[in-house]
Amino acid sequence: AQTVTQSQPEMSVQEAETVTLSCTYDTSESDYYLFWYKQPPSRQMILVIRQEAYKQQNATENRFSVNFQKAAKSFSLKISDSQLGDAAMYFCAYKNGANSKLTFGKGITLSVRP
Amino acid sequence: NAGVMQNPRHLVRRRGQEARLRCSPMKGHSHVYWYRQLPEEGLKFMVYLQKENIIDESGMPKERFSAEFPKEGPSILRIQQVVRGDSAAYFCASSPMSGFLRNQPQHFGDGTRLSIL
């Protein structure tokens, strides 16, 4: 079975600084997709960024980028120029190419210091 | 609002009652997923449905829980004879289809917070 591990329960970053959130996963599949979701206090689940395993290029979305290391099964999220609105729980998620369900990590709480 | 709609946002039930949670997928989406989030935990997959079909229910508890997605109307997650341990946030997500669009992300509703007294 696939597993997703987020070993850091909490992180803190100074406003305008850069922070990296870690995620590792375990799978024997070659076709899969990885996602980072943000959950603010309002509890919405907001898609931040996604990565297809077959793509070597790391995905980027404005201030958000990933470091996808396929051999190491690592998928970290980098947030540049952190803003107060970035404070939230962040979940790493995995989806098998042939299976539609998402497998989530336990999440990490990110706080942003003004 | 063309997003995934869940209602109610909050639901309070006493032990032994039934809880019904509703989810209307995004327009054009035919696949619905239900997830449960316990406090301080990530979301756990429960069930995946298409119209009138359950595709994957590997995450559903064997008893008291059922789900449907009828031809007309929203998807319903039903919990019979609720217990304290059912208290959680229940999220619904939808996607357009599988196949060549299988990399399309799931779009989530705002969730239903179920509290059992």
Side-chain angles (χ1 to χ4, degrees):
Chain A
Q2 291 82 18
T3 58
V4 178
T5 302
Q6 294 179 254
S7 56
Q8 308 155 303
E10 298 179 352
M11 284 198 76
S12 180
V13 63
Q14 190 76 36
E15 194 176 4
E17 297 294 308
T18 295
V19 64
T20 298
L21 310 182
S22 302
C23 173
T24 59
Y25 59 94
D26 187 26
T27 184
S28 58
E29 304 292 332
S30 58
D31 180 21
Y32 56 88
Y33 306 86
L34 297 163
F35 306 86
W36 278 97
Y37 280 88
K38 171 185 177 182
Q39 188 178 44
S42 63
R43 289 194 297 114
Q44 292 175 287
M45 290 292 289
I46 302 166
L47 177 66
V48 175
I49 199 165
R50 66 180 174 182
Q51 174 82 42
E52 291 87 346
Y54 63 84
K55 289 187 177 178
Q56 292 189 336
Q57 187 173 4
N58 288 325
T60 63
E61 288 285 343
N62 300 313
R63 298 184 295 108
F64 299 87
S65 62
V66 299
N67 183 3
F68 174 46
Q69 301 289 328
K70 191 171 184 179
K73 295 180 182 174
S74 170
F75 182 60
S76 59
L77 174 69
K78 186 171 83 170
I79 306 174
S80 304
D81 185 25
S82 297
Q83 300 176 0
L84 295 177
D86 295 333
M89 279 205 76
Y90 287 81
F91 293 97
C92 179
Y94 164 100
K95 185 169 85 73
N96 187 320
N99 190 333
S100 292
K101 68 182 180 184
L102 286 167
T103 300
F104 285 87
K106 287 193 171 185
I108 178 171
T109 300
L110 177 67
S111 58
V112 181
R113 304 185 302 274
Chain B
N1 186 344
V4 179
M5 302 300 292
Q6 287 189 251
N7 65 81
R9 284 299 305 273
H10 301 274
L11 182 61
V12 179
R13 285 288 178 265
R14 296 189 181 278
R15 283 178 291 173
Q17 291 184 321
E18 178 181 286
R20 281 184 179 240
L21 288 64
R22 287 177 291 277
C23 169
S24 296
M26 282 182 71
K27 187 176 181 180
H29 286 193
S30 57
H31 295 219
V32 165
Y33 313 81
W34 286 93
Y35 296 85
R36 177 165 62 177
Q37 184 179 30
L38 295 171
E40 308 304 322
E41 294 281 329
L43 279 70
K44 294 280 197 280
F45 168 78
M46 298 182 76
V47 63
Y48 163 34
L49 310 104
Q50 296 175 20
K51 286 283 187 181
E52 299 184 284
N53 281 306
I54 295 175
I55 307 303
D56 180 357
E57 56 182 347
S58 58
M60 286 282 269
K62 293 289 186 281
E63 297 177 348
R64 302 188 298 107
F65 285 72
S66 62
E68 63 177 6
F69 189 15
K71 187 176 180 180
E72 301 290 337
S75 175
I76 305 288
L77 179 67
R78 182 183 178 203
I79 312 172
Q80 295 178 291
Q81 299 175 331
V82 296
V83 300
R84 287 260 171 86
D86 297 333
S87 295
Y90 292 82
F91 286 89
C92 170
S94 71
S95 67
M97 62 192 320
S98 56
F100 75 95
L101 290 178
R102 65 180 186 271
N103 65 333
Q104 292 301 306
Q106 296 174 13
H107 296 265
F108 282 81
D110 289 344
T112 292
R113 183 178 294 278
L114 176 64
S115 298
I116 308 303
L117 301 180

